Amino acid sequence: MNARKANYAKEKARQLQRTLYLAAKEKPTRRFHALYDKIYREDIMTYAWKQIKANKGSAGIDRVTIQQITEEYGEKRFIQETCGQLRNGTYRPSPVRRVEIPKGDGRTRPLGIPTLRDRLVQMATKIVLEGIFEADFKDFSYGFRPKRGAHDAIQKIMTTVNEGKIYWVVDVDIKGYFDHISHEKLMMLVERRVNDRRVLKLIRGWLKAGIIKDDQFYESELGSPQGGVISPLLANIYLNYLDTIWEQQFSHIGTLVRYADDLVVLCYRKTEAMEAIRILRTVFTRLELEMNLEKSKLVNIWDDDVGFDFLGHHFRRLKVARKGGKEAHILRSFPSKKAMKKMRATVKEITGSRHLLHKKINDLIGELNPKIRGWRNYYTQADKGIANRFLSKIDWYIRRRLLIFWRKKHHRRRPSQGIFELLQREGLNSVTTWKRKSTYCPR
């Protein structure tokens, strides 16, 4: 695809988003009716396709891959065909391909994979609708939004607790959130801003398209499948109902911080935290959702006895030394036990299988380094000092696993002199941000 054309499409798409955002912000009750024709504009579709390609992803039920489109079918032809189907009304959503993704606790998470054409139309629709709903979304919502992310949510928690009087945290888990979204209530919330019948028909079509699992078709009466391009936006629209009620009526009770379906409420007193739980359960009932009582908890963070997990981080008040020999308790953030276990499992998967012994050690380092950099960038940004202490354990584990690999490959029981210097020469990265002159791995 021509780079100049792609950049032009990106600029035009962002210009449209800004226009719709400003119009929605100016009139909070305005309903937009002329949106469908913008979805199949060629510049919007071109920008949407560029994002689909960047996201990569597997094929849907039709088994058509991005590589087949780019190398055989033709990107321009695919985009123009999709525009034509939308224009003449022949486009129909296909069922999503359901796969089960293993989780760290032995269970699986269902993932729905739409076809490439459905992903393209969903992305174009998301581009058009996102600016409208961004005007309504609240500042304490951080998940799957432009120029916002997990680090912003984590920093909000750290700042709120350390700069205010926060001693109680309501840690909330919504039971099977994406699988229990009510289609009718979601569409009512979408219709508060969108009055274009053809756009509403598109969204209903994706919600009702059904799933294919093990070659068997299942109807979808509830939920928005995880994996769909537009699902995160729809999920935010649904929980924005909670955000709006909280901001208008209950912000005095505590500070709500939400990342998609993960949320915490930061409170001063226990009575306020208990009231927050009651309010949340009431709102969830209206939305036909359920609080997971096994995973949700009320935490007293007065001292360092207990903490809570959020977005892969563990938060706990710990002692720090102040000037003059004084001590203070401040909220610290470091990788959770679950995150540490997942990192170790990933390292073991890359280094542990015997069929990898034909590889060179720098091949394994090449696989590990992107993971290492990702972990370092994610976990050290909020609280570098204490995070490094925990991540150094992952560093040790990585070097230990590579040492075991090297012994098996070379049939040696005792470590060779200079093996850890070899790892450093081959460019093995560190999960910590510490600067080291040499790499050390204790027995």
Side-chain angles (χ1 to χ4, degrees):
M1 183 178 292
N2 185 280
R4 179 181 292 182
K5 185 176 181 180
N7 290 333
Y8 172 79
K10 178 179 179 180
E11 182 55 38
K12 294 295 287 184
R14 290 188 171 179
Q15 184 179 338
L16 173 64
Q17 286 182 313
R18 284 193 296 269
T19 301
L20 292 172
Y21 171 82
L22 292 172
K25 200 71 175 176
E26 184 180 4
K27 295 183 179 179
T29 59
R30 177 176 173 178
R31 300 175 71 197
F32 293 78
H33 63 276
L35 298 173
Y36 186 79
D37 60 325
K38 295 173 177 59
I39 293 173
Y40 61 75
R41 267 174 38 180
E42 190 170 345
D43 53 353
I44 300 297
M45 278 288 182
T46 300
Y47 181 49
W49 175 248
K50 183 180 178 182
Q51 291 184 284
I52 292 295
K53 277 206 309 179
N55 293 342
K56 300 179 182 179
S58 305
I61 61 170
D62 59 1
R63 302 294 176 181
V64 176
T65 65
I66 292 175
Q67 186 177 3
Q68 287 176 307
I69 297 296
T70 56
E71 296 180 3
E72 300 172 20
Y73 198 80
E75 297 173 72
K76 186 175 181 181
R77 177 186 172 189
F78 183 69
I79 292 170
Q80 289 178 343
E81 273 188 5
T82 307
C83 290
Q85 289 182 12
L86 289 168
R87 191 180 298 109
N88 59 35
T90 59
Y91 167 77
R92 296 291 181 272
S94 302
V96 299
R97 180 166 68 90
R98 170 66 63 87
V99 296
E100 301 292 336
I101 306 299
K103 297 174 70 175
D105 56 6
R107 296 182 298 172
T108 58
R109 175 172 61 88
L111 184 69
I113 304 176
T115 63
L116 267 181
R117 196 178 302 277
D118 284 342
R119 299 213 298 265
L120 176 59
V121 180
Q122 285 186 25
M123 182 63 80
T125 305
K126 176 178 175 287
I127 290 169
V128 172
L129 296 183
E130 192 169 53
I132 296 170
F133 288 100
E134 272 295 317
D136 297 334
F137 291 161
K138 308 306 176 186
D139 289 341
F140 50 81
S141 168
Y142 297 92
F144 307 111
R145 295 183 57 190
K147 299 180 181 179
R148 286 170 169 261
H151 289 131
D152 300 305
I154 292 164
Q155 192 58 54
K156 177 64 176 178
I157 292 172
M158 300 280 286
T159 303
T160 303
V161 173
N162 288 329
E163 294 184 1
K165 293 183 177 181
I166 301 294
Y167 302 112
W168 292 88
V169 176
V170 181
D171 181 10
V172 181
D173 182 84
I174 303 175
K175 197 171 186 178
Y177 173 60
F178 282 88
D179 293 332
H180 291 89
I181 294 175
S182 166
H183 292 174
E184 293 308 312
K185 291 186 176 180
L186 172 60
M187 292 308 301
M188 287 172 61
L189 294 170
V190 174
E191 287 170 15
R192 288 183 177 182
R193 277 302 203 169
V194 178
N195 198 28
D196 191 319
R197 292 184 179 181
R198 291 180 295 177
V199 174
L200 297 173
K201 183 180 177 182
L202 271 182
I203 297 173
R204 281 198 187 92
W206 292 319
L207 293 173
K208 301 288 186 183
I211 63 173
I212 299 289
K213 182 180 179 182
D214 299 327
D215 298 324
Q216 182 71 36
F217 175 79
Y218 299 90
E219 292 185 354
S220 49
E221 298 298 331
L222 274 176
S224 176
Q226 286 180 275
V229 174
I230 204 167
S231 291
L233 175 61
L234 297 179
N236 271 333
I237 292 171
Y238 202 62
L239 280 181
N240 189 58
Y241 176 80
L242 164 66
D243 298 346
T244 303
I245 290 176
W246 190 270
E247 183 181 70
Q248 292 176 350
Q249 302 179 35
F250 305 111
S251 59
H252 63 283
I253 291 175
T255 301
L256 176 64
V257 179
R258 184 175 69 81
Y259 187 96
D261 58 326
D262 293 322
L263 58 103
V264 293
V265 184
L266 312 173
C267 302
Y268 174 39
R269 299 181 180 88
K270 185 177 181 179
T271 52
E272 295 171 341
M274 296 300 293
E275 178 67 6
I277 293 173
R278 186 193 66 78
I279 293 164
L280 289 172
R281 294 182 73 172
T282 301
V283 177
F284 289 161
T285 300
R286 293 182 194 173
L287 293 172
E288 298 182 23
L289 299 172
E290 184 180 351
M291 185 183 293
N292 190 333
L293 298 180
E294 292 181 2
K295 293 185 178 181
S296 301
K297 58 183 181 179
L298 177 61
V299 182
N300 181 358
I301 57 168
W302 173 267
D303 52 30
D304 58 2
D305 288 343
V306 291
F308 63 97
D309 294 346
F310 187 69
L311 301 179
H313 290 252
H314 183 75
F315 296 86
R316 184 176 297 215
R317 257 199 176 98
L318 299 174
K319 285 183 181 179
V320 294
R322 297 296 194 193
K323 290 182 179 180
K326 295 182 180 179
E327 290 184 340
H329 282 83
I330 66 169
L331 194 71
R332 306 299 300 269
S333 168
F334 48 89
S336 66
K337 287 183 179 179
K338 186 177 179 181
M340 295 284 284
K341 183 179 178 181
K342 190 174 181 180
M343 283 187 272
R344 289 190 181 100
T346 300
V347 172
K348 189 171 183 179
E349 184 181 353
I350 294 174
T351 61
S353 180
R354 297 192 69 89
H355 77 269
L356 297 172
L357 293 178
H358 69 281
K359 290 190 174 184
K360 296 179 180 179
I361 200 162
N362 58 350
D363 293 331
L364 299 189
I365 290 173
E367 283 189 63
L368 286 168
N369 276 345
K371 305 283 186 184
I372 291 170
R373 289 192 294 269
W375 295 332
R376 183 178 64 228
N377 293 339
Y378 184 70
Y379 290 107
T380 61
Q381 188 163 328
D383 194 343
K384 186 186 300 184
I386 194 168
N388 278 333
R389 286 161 50 187
F390 285 82
L391 293 174
S392 64
K393 299 176 183 180
I394 302 299
D395 260 349
W396 174 87
Y397 185 76
I398 291 169
R399 283 150 179 77
R400 189 70 181 170
R401 292 301 311 175
L402 289 173
L403 172 60
I404 293 171
F405 168 83
W406 191 90
R407 285 177 179 175
K408 288 180 179 179
K409 183 176 178 66
H410 296 281
H411 307 288
R412 296 185 184 181
R413 291 186 178 180
R414 294 182 180 179
S416 170
Q417 294 295 324
I419 178 63
F420 302 116
E421 286 75 11
L422 170 65
L423 296 180
Q424 191 173 28
R425 286 198 307 271
E426 292 294 340
L428 179 65
N429 293 159
S430 170
V431 191
T432 72
T433 59
W434 289 333
K435 293 182 179 180
R436 298 178 178 178
K437 293 181 179 180
S438 61
T439 305
Y440 170 69
C441 175
R443 288 187 178 182

